[in-house]
């Protein structure tokens, strides 16, 4: 039987094991841009649990240990891979609820619940990822139990074998992995965590991470954003429907059934629940049907329905990017009472971009994005430091969206509205579309509309040798991306910037904003503007912004 102290040591060992091999997991990133950080994200997520567990008394039960780990991981989750990992352990904590000791049956049941939690958090689960590895691992653990395994270590050994087998098969499920000749990075990270836990279950040995505290701190400051699955932010349905249900204690139906139903009538579904309420968000053509289904679980406490296609605002982009003045730093992250109606926080890297978002009205700018995925806790602190009853969060990165969404049920004294901005240009356009004289719903519509009308170009460098179609990519090559997809392999960042911006431009283009970052001088930025001016229509307004962002030489907004 596994006591709380053994489970604590197992999670610490799992954390150490992935920390030890995090760089190898990062290198499994299938895209050569310098953003392969799945290993770092997962390491830092479970590392938050390890830190919390070190403060836990040795007398803590298995249930108390699992609950403390899950809570710390939820708040410390970074990137989509980290959020999925935290949800997996959240389910494990539910499975061990009230258990003083965990035997084979309790472990299998807990892992089954963990897999359920992880799968139901993703609207369209993709097989060949960490989800598949977790599911097959749980299936193998149950099979071992059914065949008479009597020790927890025997069950977990089967779990690890199942995870390893599923990992090897991920390239057969995802062709993009097969073409790159790698296995799934998130799945590999999960295998390392499970193997670290097995070391304790089997022999009581905690694997060492090989990292000093100073190295861990350095990793926290320097890790790169993850190349996780795309988030579909297109507006496919008319009505954004949000409501909160006060749970009827006599209704035992699982809220998962509500989520499954909502997915049949809409998209962008989020169902978050605890013992008291169920919070629902869905884009649908049938808001009445969504509300009727919600009433099966209890009384409606709040309801908000907005027509996302009603208004189409023309973006007024009179942006004085060239004449920025130093801006006061963001306020200290101290909790503020929600006295105002509306507030904004944004995620950005680079002093120029941070200043720009502050100028546009953000109360707090969370450091991150191109060079760092902030955790759920980082975003939650920014939300609580914003003195507003409703706080709009602009992640500006597809891999920060899930972490931002996890703050919705955590901020109990104010409403969190996550605008699914996946790039810095989308975030800037959304903020420019804000109208202080309009209501919350009208602004949300306008900001979503503005973000959806932006094309984003990126110029960065290849972090390693790779292949793209029939083209060979060499480390250090300059890469040009259009709306997240690689299109150009070049040698010079300035000419690549011009090529990307010109290819994104159409006859309807009115504004092009070139945000230049580390490694680009003001003279190079001016040269890019000069060359582009000669290649686009004279009516197009081109603006330069010194963003100071790392990783990307240029971020290009075309509207």
């Amino acid at each position: 039987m596994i006591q709380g102290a053994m489970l604590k040591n197992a999670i610490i060992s799992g954390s150490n094991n992935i920390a030890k091999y995090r760089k190898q997991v990062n290198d499994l990133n299938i895209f050569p841009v310098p953003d392969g950080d799945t290993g770092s994200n997962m390491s830092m997520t479970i590392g938050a649990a390890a830190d919390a567990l070190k403060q836990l008394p040795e007398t803590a039960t298995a249930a108390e240990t699992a609950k403390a780990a899950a809570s710390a991981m939820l708040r410390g989750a970074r990137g989509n891979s980290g959020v999925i990992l935290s949800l997996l352990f959240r389910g494990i904590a539910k499975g061990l609820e009230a258990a003083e000791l965990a035997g084979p049956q309790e472990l299998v049941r807990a892992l089954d619940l963990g897999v359920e939690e992880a799968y139901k958090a993703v609207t369209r689960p993709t097989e060949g990822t960490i989800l598949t590895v977790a599911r097959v691992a749980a299936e193998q653990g149950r099979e071992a139990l059914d065949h008479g395994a009597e020790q927890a270590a025997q069950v977990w050994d089967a779990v690890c074998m199942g995870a390893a087998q599923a990992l090897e098969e991920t390239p057969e499920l995802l062709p993009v992995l097969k073409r790159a000749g790698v296995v799934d990075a998130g799945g590999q990270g999960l295998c390392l965590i499970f193997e670290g836990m097995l070391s304790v279950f089997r022999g009581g040995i905690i694997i060492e991470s090989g990292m000093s505290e100073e190295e861990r701190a350095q990793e926290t400051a320097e890790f790169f954003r993850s190349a996780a699955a795309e988030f579909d932010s297109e507006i496919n349905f008319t009505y954004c429907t949000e409501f909160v249900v006060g749970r009827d204690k006599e209704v035992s139906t699982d809220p998962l059934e509500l989520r499954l139903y909502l997915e049949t009538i809409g998209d962008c579904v989020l169902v978050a629940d605890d013992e008291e309420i169920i919070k629902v968000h869905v884009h649908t053509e049938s808001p009445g049907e969504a509300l009727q289904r919600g009433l099966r679980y209890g009384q409606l406490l709040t309801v908000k329905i907005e027509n996302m296609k009603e208004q189409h605002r023309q973006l007024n982009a009179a942006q004085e990017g060239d004449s920025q003045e130093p801006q006061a730093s963001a306020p200290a992250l101290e909790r503020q009472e929600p006295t105002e109606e509306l507030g904004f926080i944004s995620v950005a890297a680079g002093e120029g971009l941070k200043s720009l978002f502050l100028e546009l009205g953000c109360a707090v700018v969370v450091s991150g994005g191109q060079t760092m995925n902030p955790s759920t806790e980082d975003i939650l602190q920014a939300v609580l430091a914003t003195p507003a009853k409703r706080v709009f969060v602009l992640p500006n990165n597809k891999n920060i969206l899930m972490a931002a969404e996890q703050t919705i049920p955590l901020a109990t004294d104010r409403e969190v509205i996550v605008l699914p901005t996946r790039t810095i240009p989308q975030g800037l356009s959304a903020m420019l579309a804000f109208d202080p004289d309009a209501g919350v719903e009208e602004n949300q519509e306008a900001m979503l509309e503005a973000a959806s009308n932006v094309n984003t170009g990126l110029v960065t460098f290849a972090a390693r040798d790779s292949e793209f179609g029939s083209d060979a990519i060499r480390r250090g090559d300059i890469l040009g991306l259009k709306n997240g997809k690689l299109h150009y392999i070049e040698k010079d960042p300035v000419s690549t910037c011009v090529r990307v911006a010109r290819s994104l431009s159409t006859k309807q283009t009115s504004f092009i904003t070139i945000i230049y970052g580390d490694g680009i001088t003001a003279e190079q930025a001016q040269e890019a503007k000069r060359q582009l001016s000669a290649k686009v229509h004279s009516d197009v307004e081109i603006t330069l912004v010194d963003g100071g962002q790392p990783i990307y030489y240029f971020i290009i907004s075309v509207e």
Side-chain angles (χ1 to χ4, degrees), residues 44 47 56 61 238 270 384 439:
M44 296 179 73
L56 203 65
T61 65
T238 304
L270 174 66
L384 298 179

Side-chain angles (χ1 to χ4, degrees), residues 214-326:
E214 182 177 325
E215 289 171 328
R216 284 190 61 189
Q218 183 178 4
E219 180 194 38
T220 302
E222 296 179 355
F223 79 102
F224 300 120
R225 75 177 174 82
S226 171
E230 291 283 337
F231 181 91
D232 183 8
S233 62
E234 296 179 1
I235 302 173
N236 298 317
F237 294 88
T238 304
Y239 299 102
C240 177
T241 305
E242 297 182 18
F243 57 92
V244 175
V245 178
R247 299 188 71 161
D248 187 334
K249 302 297 185 182
E250 296 182 0
V251 176
S252 59
T253 308
D254 191 335
L256 173 62
E257 295 186 13
L258 175 60
R259 176 181 179 135
L260 293 175
Y261 170 75
L262 294 175
E263 289 175 354
T264 68
I265 64 169
D267 67 4
C268 296
V269 177
L270 174 66
V271 178
D273 67 283
D274 59 22
E275 291 79 5
E276 302 295 330
I277 66 168
I278 303 173
K279 192 164 188 175
V280 176
H281 172 280
V282 60
H283 294 176
T284 180
E285 296 296 326
S286 308
E289 294 179 16
L291 295 175
Q292 284 295 329
R293 185 57 64 105
L295 282 168
R296 297 185 181 185
Y297 295 82
Q299 293 185 342
L300 297 177
L301 302 181
T302 63
V303 175
K304 181 179 69 173
I305 301 173
E306 55 189 78
N307 187 326
M308 295 187 295
K309 297 181 180 177
E310 184 181 22
Q311 291 185 324
H312 178 80
R313 294 179 180 270
Q314 295 295 325
L315 178 62
N316 179 12
Q319 183 179 341
E320 300 295 332
D322 286 335
S323 59
Q324 298 180 41
E325 296 180 358

Side-chain angles (χ1 to χ4, degrees), residues 16 72 82 115 162 241 253 269 274 332 414 419 429 436 439 455 479 493 526:
N16 289 346
V115 171
T241 305
T253 308
V269 177
D274 59 22
R414 66 202 76 196
L419 288 176
S429 293
N455 285 309
L479 307 179
Q526 288 289 348

Side-chain angles (χ1 to χ4, degrees), residues 48-49 80-81 87 92 98 227 231 445:
N80 292 347
S81 57
L87 292 171
I92 290 174
F231 181 91
E445 293 170 12

Side-chain angles (χ1 to χ4, degrees), residues 375-386:
S375 68
T376 298
E377 178 67 15
D378 294 333
I379 300 171
L380 178 63
Q381 286 184 4
V383 168
L384 298 179
T386 303

Side-chain angles (χ1 to χ4, degrees), residues 511-550:
F511 304 97
I512 298 176
T513 303
I514 299 174
I515 304 168
Y516 61 97
D518 283 351
I520 297 297
T521 64
E523 291 73 19
Q524 287 176 302
Q526 288 289 348
E527 177 62 17
K529 179 179 179 180
R530 185 192 67 77
Q531 291 185 25
L532 184 59
S533 297
K535 296 179 182 294
V536 297
H537 196 278
S538 58
D539 291 338
V540 177
E541 181 179 332
I542 303 175
T543 302
L544 289 180
V545 175
D546 181 2
Q549 72 275 1

